[in-house]
């Protein structure tokens, strides 16, 4: 039965990609998004 859950686990490569995208979003997108929200403007 535990074998079935392996189908839903992300591969190590996918996890690395996911972490890289998250880091990029937190470093580059989040600060810009916060600024846009504070100013109430549409980019």
């Amino acid at each position: 039965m535990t074998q079935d859950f392996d189908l839903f686990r992300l591969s190590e490569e996918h996890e690395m990609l996911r972490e890289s995208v998250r880091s990029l979003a937190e470093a580059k997108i989040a600060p810009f998004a916060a600024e846009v929200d504070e100013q109430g403007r549409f980019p």
Side-chain angles (χ1 to χ4, degrees):
M1 180 117 174
T2 59
Q3 212 172 16
D4 293 338
F5 291 109
D6 287 341
L7 296 173
F8 300 104
R9 231 175 242 138
L10 299 176
S11 70
E12 185 177 334
E13 205 171 68
H14 192 164
E15 283 290 351
M16 287 172 50
L17 175 62
R18 186 174 176 217
E19 289 173 23
S20 295
V21 170
R22 180 182 304 252
S23 294
L24 175 70
E26 288 174 348
K28 301 292 182 182
I29 298 171
F32 179 71
E35 180 184 320
V36 169
D37 286 346
E38 286 173 9
Q39 294 176 0
R41 64 183 172 92
F42 185 78

